[in-house]
Amino acid sequence: MAVSTETAPADRAGTGERTSRARRAGRWRTTLTFWYFVGPFVAGLLVFTYIPVIWSAYLSFFEARNTVSPASEDFVGLDNYVAMLRDDAFIDSLGTFTVFAAFIVPLTFASSLALALMLNKVRLARSFFRSVFFLPFACSYVVASLVWKMSIFNGVRYGMANSILDLFGIEDIAWLFDPSPPWYWLVIVTLRLWIQCGFYMILFIAALQQIPEHLYEAAYVDGAKPGWQTFWHITLPQLRATSVAVLMLILIAAYQAFDEFYNLIGNQAYARPPLMYLYNTALGTVQDLGKGSAGALILALLIALVTVLQGKFLGFGRSEGQ
Amino acid sequence: MVASGNNPYEKALAGLAMNRRRMLALGGLTAGAGALSACGGDTGRGDGDGDGITLYQWYHEYGEAGTQEAVKKYAEAYEDATVVINWVPGEYETVLSSGLLADKPGDYPDVFEGHLNRSMVDSGQVVPLDDILEDVKDDYTTDDLARNTIDGKVYGIRMIDDPQFLYYRPSLFDAAGVGVPETFDDLIAAAAELTTGDVKGIFLGNDDSATKMFQSIVFGAGQTLLTDDNQIGFDADTVLAGALKVKELHDSSSLLVGAPTEAWDPSSFIQELCAIQWCGLWALPAIQEAHGDDVAIMPVPGFNGGNPTVFNGGWDTFVNANSEHVDEAKAFAKWLWIDNEEYILDWNLSYGFHIPPRLSMRANAEALADGPAAEAVRISEEYGWAENPNWTPTMETAVDDMMTRIVLEGADPESEFEAAQGTIQTELDSIFG
C-alpha cells in the first residue's frame, strides 16, 4: 500500500547515526499515523465487506438452507445460479428495478441539476436554501417511509393526499396496495427524490463553481445570450465529468433500493426490487442462503457490468469540459 | 429466576456509552480496541445464579399491554435456572432465523417461540419433544399436534391457539338491512351495502388482502395445501374460481386498502374505518371495550358452494438443538407450557384472548364461556384449518404472487396457476425427491 513518506527534518549539525535514528523515528511516526487513521477503516472493510462477500461466494455453490456452514456433500456447483436465472420472480424483480430506474435516474438528475443551477444564481440566503434542500439527505429512508406511508399517502380519508383529493370530490386512493393504476410509483419516486436530490445538488453546485467565468464572458462577447444557449453550450459540457459520476451513483443507488420498498409495500409481487427478493430468499422466512448468495453475486456482476459500460460510453474519468 | 434488565440491546448500548468515556480518557486507537473487546466480552446479559445455568428464551413482541411483564414473571418463578428473556420487536422470524445460526450461548435462544417448518428439522435446529409431551398428547387437538409434527416426531409445544375470523357490528348490519353473509357472494354484497362515504364495507389487510384468501378458498372446498404423501392438494378450477371472487371484491369500492394499521391490529375496526374486519381472537377485549356489546364474529364465508373457514393461527415453543443445555431447556419448556396450568391460562386469557391449547384446561377458561369468545371457540373447532409444516415459505410466496397477480393486476389466471404450481412442484421435488 502506498504511504506518503514525508521525512522529518534532518539534524544537519548532528552525527550521521543521530540523523539516521531521527529519520527512522520520523518514518515510524508517519507509518503509525497512517495506520492510526486508515487501520480501523481497513479492518471494517475487511470484516464487514470483503469476508462476507467471499463467504457469500462460497455459500452460492452449496445447498445452504438454514445454515452458513454447509457440509461438503451439499456442494451443488452452479445449480443455485441456474435456479436463480430461471426464477421468474427474480427476473421480474429486475424488471421492477428497470421501471424504477427509468423513473428515478432522469428525474433525480434533472431535479438536482435544476436546483443547483437555481441556487448558483441566488444571491440572497444561498446557504439557507442550500441547507434546506440538503437536509432531507440526513433523514433515514425508514423514517421518511413511515411519514410517506402513514401520513401523506395512507389510503384512508384522513391521509394528506386523500384529504386534498377530497376537496375536489375525488374518491380515496389506496396509494400503495392497489397496483391498477400503479400509484405506488408516485409514492416511491417522490420519497427517493425528496431524500437524494439535495446530495446530488451539492455535487453539481461544486462543479458549477469550478466553471471559469471567462468562458461565459467570452461567449457573451461572441454574441451568446444568457440562459438556454450558454447552458447548453458551456455549462452542460463543463459539467460532463460530474454528470457522468452523478448518473452512475444514482443508478447504483437505484439497484440497491430496498429500504423504501420494504417499509412502504413489503414483499409484493408487483413492486419487489432485486434486493427485496434476495433479502426474502436468504434472510427472510425462506432462509435459502445458497440461492440468495448466488442471486446477490449475479446482481453484483450486473451492477459492475452496467457501471463499466456506462462509464465507457459516457466517458467516466475524463476531466470537466473534455 | 430472571435476569434483570433483560434486553441485551439496552445493555449493549450501555456498554458502548462506557466505551465512549474510556475513549475520551485513553485516546482513539487504544479505546477503539477496547470497544471491540468489550463488545465481545460483555453481552449485557445477566449471569446465572444458583447452579449457574442460564437459559435464553425468545418471544416476538406481543402487542397487548402486560405481556412482557408476564413472561418476566414466569421466568422469575422458575427455580432450576436463570431465564433471560429476549423480547424481539419487528420482524421476529428473521431475527430468530439469524439467532438460530449463532454458535455462542446467549447469541442464540435455548427456548423460543415460532412456527415449525421442515427446513428447521432438516438442518437440525430443533429437538423432538415427544418425551416431554408423552403423557399429554391426547390433550391437544389433532391440528395442534399435526402442525408441530414432522416424520412422526413432535417438535413444538402449542402455547396459544389464535383463531382468525371476521368481526362485525350487528347494529351496522341492522341499519343497512343486511343479514349475516353465508357465502362469499353474500359477503361481497353486504360489504357494498355497508360502505358509506367514511366507512368501507370490509378490511382484510393492506398487503395481504388478496393473498390471505387463498387458504380459505382451498380449505373451504374440502381440499388441502399438501396431501398426506406431500403432493399438491388443490386444483386449478377451485382456486381460480375463488380467486376471481376475491378479484370481484377488490374491484368493488367496498374494500378498505391502505389503512394505517395492518389487520392483526383492530384499530381500523375500532376507529370505524370499516364495518367488517379480519382479525384474531386476541383483539376481542380491545374491540369490546370500544364497541361494547355491539360486536359479533363470523367465519370467512364459503366460496362457490364451499364451507366457511377459520384460520387457526397461534404460537409454539421449541428447544434449540444447538443449545448447550438442551435437557434443561426441555425441562423449562415442560414446566411452563405443558404443566403450569396457572401460567398457561394467565397467558391465554389475561392479555387479549387466546384459546388454551390443552383441551383439559379449556373448561377452566371462564372468559371464553359466552358471547363472541365462545362463538370463536365453536367456529374454530368446527371450521378451523391449520398450517402444514411441509408447506414452505417458497410455496407460500408462489401462491401469494399468483393471487396478487390475478386479483390486483388482472393477470391471466391459468398461466399464473401453472407458474405457481411449477414452483411448488420444484420445491416438493427438491425436498421429497
Side-chain angles (χ1 to χ4, degrees), chain A residues 5 26 41 54 57 69 75 80 85 106 112 148 167 181 206 219 252 257 282 286 290:
Chain A
T5 51
F41 296 101
I54 292 166
S69 47
F75 182 78
N80 287 330
L85 290 171
S112 47
W148 253 244
L167 295 176
I252 291 171
V286 178

Side-chain angles (χ1 to χ4, degrees), chain A residues 210-234:
Chain A
Q210 296 300 313
I211 300 176
E213 195 57 35
H214 64 77
L215 287 180
Y216 293 100
E217 287 163 2
Y220 298 148
V221 169
D222 290 343
K225 294 185 179 61
W228 181 250
Q229 205 172 15
T230 46
F231 170 74
W232 190 252
H233 293 288
I234 297 175

Side-chain angles (χ1 to χ4, degrees), chain B residues 5-16 43-45 58 86-89 95:
Chain B
N6 47 25
N7 184 336
Y9 303 110
E10 286 173 14
K11 285 289 190 73
L13 286 173
L16 284 175
T43 62
R45 300 174 174 94
W58 287 23
N86 188 10
W87 190 254
V88 182
V95 178

